[in-house]
Amino acid sequence: MRNITLSLAAIASLATVISCGDSSKSPTAVKANESANSSPSDPNDTLSSSSIRTSTGAIFSSSAIQGSSSAAIPHSASSSSSATIADSSAITSSAHSTSEKVSSAKQTSSSSAHSSTHHRISSSSISSSSAQAPQPQSSATSIPLDADGFATVADVYHSLRENEKAVFMIRHSEREDNVAIETELTAKGVKMAQDLGATLKNDEEFSYITSGFVRTNETANNISKGRGEAKLPKLITNYDITGNWFLKISADSLAQYGTSLGMKGGSVELMAHWAYDGGYPNALYELSPRAEEFMQKVILKNLPKWKRVSIMVSHDILVMPLTVFGSKGKVALKYHEDYHWINYIAGLAIIIDEQNNLRYIPVKGAESGVIDYLAIYREEHGIGGKNPTFPKK
């Protein structure tokens, strides 16, 4: 494999491309909610300025590209709550500005090599919890998972039993680069959402719950349009899903905290370590108890107000840890090791029976549930060969 070198000027130029947000349009930074019961009255009070302007992508050290890095160096992939601290020793991917508009072939490159290797599981076997004592459940329809651990939204929807409700918690569709609350979807993002909706065509009415951001609202509206619904749905705004549920500190502070620990990827590297390995109690709640609290205080509390099937559209910094939680760490989103991050319109299906027993299935609304940023970088820079193996930290 050829060596890759970039001048500091080129790196700075690429980093500028990556940080494509407009801080003049960013909300005021505030602390994240310390209590599960507290919700901001306005989405502008939810996210920090850097979290709003963050673009999705990856920063790679030259040694990582050559396969000898001791660790991956993730860039913040959060469209709603984390910031990136670029490092002058890193190669910042010029693919990053286009990663928000990356082709589906690029988005799915991590799984395409083994996309034909599916395995089937019972949808009740992923993970389960209960509002009360766990109740026995009969075996559900067998649902295929891809090599990254995701089923399709459509497969899960069509497998639902009559006595079950489902909430599909997904990341919004592909958005424009200039990130703010009012940032819209790209043309491709509109199509992605409509294509997902087309797989869910049915006379059944859905509920649509969003974070109140333009991109989450547009995602919900276009899923509805793809389903062939006669008119746009009445969107339900829920401020608990704006992205700060797992954070004890502001998103800006989270990125700075990760950097202070030597994590060149800032908040996303920190989030990936935490989601799979735990720790960092000064910055983040413990994953499982906090996720269980989310299920009780957001999902089950509001479930009687929603229809049998709900589409909940949020942001990656909430959707990613919930998906890791629901899969018991089996889903392939270890960005701190291999640059995988949650794809657009991917997330977690939360299925609830009559006794409020919950089961979880990671879901994808596009070809893959994963964006592989290293593969994107390789493709855009003409680098062949297999992906390097990243040693575990």
Side-chain angles (χ1 to χ4, degrees):
M1 185 186 309
R2 62 176 180 176
N3 291 337
I4 302 172
T5 57
L6 290 178
S7 68
L8 291 179
I11 293 170
S13 175
L14 290 172
T16 300
V17 173
I18 291 172
S19 296
C20 56
D22 181 357
S23 59
S24 66
K25 297 181 181 179
S26 302
T28 303
V30 295
K31 291 287 185 180
N33 293 340
E34 294 292 334
S35 167
N37 293 321
S38 62
S39 298
S41 59
D42 188 295
N44 290 344
D45 296 327
T46 307
L47 304 172
S48 65
S49 58
S50 66
S51 71
I52 295 301
R53 64 175 180 266
T54 300
S55 164
T56 310
I59 297 177
F60 309 103
S61 70
S62 57
S63 58
I65 298 300
Q66 297 170 30
S68 59
S69 173
S70 62
I73 310 172
H75 175 282
S76 171
S78 172
S79 60
S80 63
S81 62
S82 45
T84 298
I85 308 298
D87 185 273
S88 60
S89 64
I91 296 180
T92 40
S93 171
S94 61
H96 193 54
S97 65
T98 60
S99 65
E100 293 294 334
K101 302 176 182 177
V102 66
S103 68
S104 58
K106 292 179 182 178
Q107 287 175 331
T108 61
S109 54
S110 68
S111 60
S112 60
H114 46 259
S115 61
S116 61
T117 308
H118 288 73
H119 55 285
R120 302 185 72 86
I121 63 163
S122 166
S123 60
S124 62
S125 67
I126 297 286
S127 181
S128 65
S129 64
S130 175
Q132 305 297 328
Q135 301 293 324
Q137 297 188 44
S138 60
S139 178
T141 302
S142 183
I143 298 174
L145 299 182
D146 66 15
D148 295 315
F150 290 85
T152 69
V153 173
D155 280 346
V156 176
Y157 171 57
H158 294 300
S159 77
L160 292 174
R161 297 188 282 260
E162 290 184 1
N163 65 340
E164 290 179 323
K165 291 187 175 183
V167 178
F168 291 94
M169 161 66 80
I170 60 172
R171 185 186 180 190
H172 58 78
S173 196
E174 184 184 271
R175 59 167 171 79
E176 296 288 354
D177 292 334
N178 188 23
V179 185
I181 287 178
E182 67 272 17
T183 298
E184 299 178 345
L185 299 182
T186 63
K188 180 184 174 185
V190 170
K191 185 178 186 302
M192 288 172 68
Q194 291 183 8
D195 287 348
L196 170 57
T199 69
L200 305 173
K201 281 190 175 181
N202 193 290
D203 292 336
E204 181 175 17
E205 293 184 2
F206 286 8
S207 291
Y208 295 89
I209 303 97
T210 79
S211 67
F213 285 54
V214 170
R215 57 187 174 274
T216 60
N217 290 349
E218 287 186 342
T219 300
N221 284 335
N222 280 288
I223 292 173
S224 170
K225 184 175 181 180
R227 293 191 70 229
E229 296 180 13
K231 58 182 180 180
L232 291 179
K234 181 179 180 180
L235 302 182
I236 302 168
T237 302
N238 187 301
Y239 297 123
D240 282 322
I241 66 170
T242 51
N244 62 2
W245 182 264
F246 291 103
L247 279 61
K248 291 182 178 180
I249 59 180
S250 71
D252 279 338
S253 298
L254 188 69
Q256 294 165 5
Y257 181 59
T259 302
S260 74
L261 297 175
M263 297 180 184
K264 295 178 181 179
S267 55
V268 163
E269 183 174 359
L270 178 61
M271 289 286 289
H273 276 287
W274 160 80
Y276 284 94
D277 303 323
Y280 313 105
N282 294 331
L284 295 157
Y285 291 97
E286 188 178 349
L287 175 61
S288 291
R290 187 64 168 166
E292 292 284 2
E293 193 174 9
F294 181 86
M295 300 304 169
Q296 296 292 326
K297 295 185 175 180
V298 179
I299 301 300
L300 292 177
K301 178 182 177 181
N302 292 293
L303 196 64
K305 307 173 189 176
W306 302 338
K307 300 190 183 299
R308 188 180 81 101
V309 176
S310 300
I311 305 292
M312 180 175 278
V313 189
S314 183
H315 306 269
D316 52 1
I317 203 166
L318 174 63
V319 175
M320 180 269 186
L322 284 177
T323 305
V324 173
F325 161 77
S327 71
K328 295 183 178 179
K330 295 179 182 178
V331 74
L333 295 173
K334 293 186 177 182
Y335 195 43
H336 57 306
E337 295 181 0
D338 55 15
Y339 305 108
H340 286 184
W341 193 247
I342 191 80
N343 198 3
Y344 298 109
I345 57 176
L348 185 68
I350 305 161
I351 302 169
I352 310 99
D353 71 9
E354 291 177 313
Q355 288 76 43
N356 280 347
N357 296 304
L358 308 181
R359 57 191 175 91
Y360 310 111
I361 306 175
V363 291
K364 59 183 181 181
E367 185 177 349
S368 176
V370 171
I371 299 178
D372 183 339
Y373 286 107
L374 180 58
I376 294 169
Y377 184 92
R378 286 178 176 279
E379 181 174 341
E380 295 212 348
H381 289 78
I383 304 170
K386 297 181 180 179
N387 289 350
T389 299
F390 294 90
K392 296 183 182 297
K393 291 187 176 182

